Amino acid sequence: MLLLIGVAGYAYGYFIVRNAIFKSVQTMQVTDFKLLSFSLLPPQATVELTFTIRNPTSVNLEIHDIYLEIYIDNFYVGDITAKNKILLAHGKTTLKGTYKLTPQLVIHLGTSKKINLHIQGYIDASGKFLFLKIPYHYEVNVQQVVEG
């Protein structure tokens, strides 16, 4: 009977933590997109992206590993990684990356009025429920449009 209560408690905790991670990942967005340099001749550009992840829940999360690939209009831009970040309940964390764009993407951006960002990868995180530390692996697939 005690084992059954322990399994039920872990299952409930797993649901709470999974839900907190899911809700936090759903808030992830590029909150700052800076063009640091741009030239059409020769075609080159450098951009800085700031990603913000908010935790709208009452569960503190430990982010063990983040790996995100960034695409602009189907052009691979680069990736961003982070390890061992704390995402407090009702808090936020930011990730920054600076990227040199390919000449093909620079020419493409020179004629675009909006940018379609696609971010994919994963987040490994855990949260605590009562005395249990519950890990969770979440696949990320986010789309965002930046008007410019």
Side-chain angles (χ1 to χ4, degrees):
M1 182 66 151
L2 193 56
L3 179 62
L4 184 60
I5 292 172
V7 170
Y10 185 84
Y12 181 71
Y14 179 83
F15 172 76
I16 296 294
V17 169
R18 183 182 71 80
N19 188 47
I21 294 169
F22 174 76
K23 285 183 175 180
S24 295
V25 170
Q26 296 303 315
T27 71
M28 184 175 64
Q29 63 179 336
V30 174
T31 52
D32 196 15
F33 186 100
K34 289 182 184 172
L35 185 61
L36 301 178
S37 66
F38 183 85
S39 170
L40 281 175
L41 292 172
Q44 56 189 3
T46 305
V47 296
E48 180 182 82
L49 300 174
T50 301
F51 298 88
T52 300
I53 304 171
R54 297 182 191 288
N55 182 353
T57 72
S58 59
V59 177
N60 291 332
L61 299 172
E62 293 178 49
I63 299 174
H64 305 289
D65 193 20
I66 296 176
Y67 174 78
L68 302 172
E69 294 177 348
I70 299 116
Y71 296 85
I72 295 178
D73 292 334
N74 296 322
F75 289 91
Y76 175 74
V77 174
D79 58 52
I80 192 163
T81 61
K83 293 192 180 298
N84 303 322
K85 289 191 134 316
I86 300 297
L87 185 52
L88 296 175
H90 304 290
K92 69 178 180 178
T93 189
T94 58
L95 308 167
K96 281 189 179 188
T98 302
Y99 307 95
K100 291 188 183 282
L101 305 183
T102 64
Q104 297 90 345
L105 180 53
V106 172
I107 292 168
H108 172 76
L109 291 177
T111 62
S112 296
K113 295 206 186 285
K114 66 180 180 178
I115 297 169
N116 295 300
L117 289 169
H118 179 213
I119 302 154
Q120 66 185 32
Y122 65 85
I123 294 178
D124 286 327
S126 65
K128 289 187 179 174
F129 176 73
L130 299 176
F131 58 89
L132 301 171
K133 184 174 183 178
I134 300 171
Y136 190 70
H137 177 85
Y138 188 86
E139 296 290 326
V140 176
N141 191 355
V142 176
Q143 305 260 352
Q144 183 178 345
V145 176
V146 177
E147 301 284 337

